[in-house]
Amino acid sequence: MADKITVAGVSVDTRHWVGGQRVASVDTFTDTSPIDGSALGEIARGGPAEAQAAVAAARAAFPSWAATPRAERARLLHAIADGVEKRIEELAIVETTDNGALLRSHRRGVMPRVAHNFRFFADWLLTLEHEDFETRGHSNHVSWDPAGPCVLITPWNAPLMLATWKVAPALAAGNTVILKPAEWSPLTASLLADIAAEAGLPAGVLNVVQGYGAEIGDALTSHPDVRRISFTGSVPTAKRIAASAAANLTPLSLELGGKSPLLVFADANLELAVDLAVEQYDNAGQVCLAGTRLLVEDSVAEEFTRRFVAKAGALRQGDPRDEATDIGPNIHPRQLEKIDGFVQRAIAEGARTVIGGHRRDGQFYAPTLLTDVAQDSEVVQEEVFGPVLTLQTFADEEEGVRLANDTRFGLAATLATGDPERAERVTAQLVAGTVWVNCFFVRDLQAPFGGSRLSGVGREGGTWSFDFYCDLKNTVTAPKGFKDHG
Ligand code: NAD
């Protein structure tokens, strides 16, 4: 196995990063590009031994990092952000080559956001305080104490963005980290390790291990020295991780899948509603928050569909490195098979294909809209994670809300309506971690983020991230000379 590979002109180390050292494994796995299916290189494939080593390194580095003053931790996080900003072009092209998402959005949106993740949590750390309060003359002081080594496990659909949204608050809180990126897109995590080292982060504070899910994951999530597990990924994996973490009652944060509704009311600005609907094809539909269930009020459904078809038909699908491309490839041949399986089963059950419904050459799936789908059908109830939307109609607000809430998920919901009172009424009834009214994907890092029902456990973001990554402590101090223990 070569220690380094060159991807789109950028040198990427293929080994783990443990205790400030690059570490190889006997086994490897092949990382491929969704753009053309080509092999990018062999990546170190960790197992229990690498997991043990990474937790040991994180544990050894913890006392000193936890004792590092907040201002110094914040300074180092800003230095990492500087390093990310210097390497935006490299990170963007490597990420696009590895996971197939658009280069233009990596360049202009995602990678700047990665830097912002570090800056935001560095700054938020410095504001973190709870006003002291009194109990019968005793003072109460609340502190956010670092918890210990944290295992952070991330998916492939937005690799570095989702990884750093966990790494930044975990490090800011004074914890050490073991990051396990997804095996279908491991490369930018390795570049992050380089950037953190160059920024001066002490050895062992951030560790990166690569490998297949359970093969390395079980040893990480069941380890007694691990104090927090934050996971973003699918529901079946989350259940397995929760079972593994149960051995030590390790606190978990789970950010999982969705089957979110996009409700279009007759009083909506229809042009805006159509734009919002077409946006759900972003990242080839591989977005957890996507509003994949279009729920449209009867009286505007025909006009909405006509405009949607025209707009979606203008989307350009192709090479994600091309600035003009709107939709890139799907991540992996297995994901394509999964997507097509959902669509073909839906069609066999009587769904009508408004657009798409088939693969295209290479690793592409045609943007698809299915209608005539039953509420209890698989395609309405289960996450497809591809460019596949369903369209159902509703007669009135009550029916719209009922359909919107009628899945096992509760990650997000989007509504298009011109009536602010309706927006308030409907929002109050929706089961969703995030509701967008006449907009989509506006995300502030200080907002609580997470899902209800099978979409997740807990919330991260702003102070909620620190609440999760810290051991909260309340210190009660008696006034001088006070003897009463009552
Ligand atoms: P996945 O569950 O297959 O894998 C996610 C990660 O878990 C990978 O790194 C994988 O290697 C690892 N893993 C697998 N088995 C493991 C085990 N037993 N122990 C420890 N780690 C293990 O998910 P995926 O296919 O990579 O990602 C897609 C899913 O992620 C979708 O369901 C999507 O909705 C969800 N997602 C959710 C959010 C959110 O914020 N709620 C964001 C993005 C993606």
Side-chain angles (χ1 to χ4, degrees), residues 153-158 162 165 180-184 211-218 221 231-238 240-241 254-258 286-289 335 338 383 385 411 443 449-451 455:
I153 300 176
T154 49
W156 44 261
N157 63 321
L162 292 170
W165 142 259
K180 210 298 278 170
E183 54 271 36
W184 284 349
Y212 287 120
E215 219 172 79
I216 186 163
D218 282 346
T221 53
F231 169 75
T232 300
S234 64
V235 173
T237 306
R240 185 157 177 176
I241 288 175
L254 301 174
E255 297 179 352
L256 311 177
Q286 301 165 140
V287 176
C288 57
L289 296 160
Q335 187 67 16
K338 196 179 139 205
E383 184 183 49
F385 225 53
L411 190 55
R443 269 195 67 192
F449 178 79
S455 290

Side-chain angles (χ1 to χ4, degrees), residues 31-50:
D31 185 29
T32 57
S33 173
I35 299 175
D36 55 9
S38 63
L40 298 172
E42 291 298 308
I43 309 295
R45 174 174 168 179
E50 287 82 354

Side-chain angles (χ1 to χ4, degrees), residues 350-376:
R352 187 166 62 79
T353 309
V354 182
I355 56 169
H358 56 85
R359 296 177 187 208
R360 287 192 166 140
D361 286 346
Q363 248 170 254
F364 295 87
Y365 205 86
T368 295
L369 179 67
L370 299 172
T371 191
D372 296 346
V373 287
Q375 179 62 22
D376 62 356

Side-chain angles (χ1 to χ4, degrees), residues 81-116:
D82 293 342
V84 169
E85 279 165 0
K86 270 195 222 124
R87 299 187 70 177
I88 279 184
E89 280 299 311
E90 293 181 15
L91 291 166
I93 187 67
V94 170
E95 196 84 295
T96 291
T97 310
D98 206 12
N99 91 332
L102 298 187
L103 181 60
R104 68 172 142 96
S105 68
H106 281 150
R107 254 188 197 141
R108 294 201 275 278
V110 175
M111 295 309 162
R113 178 74 175 215
V114 165
H116 180 60

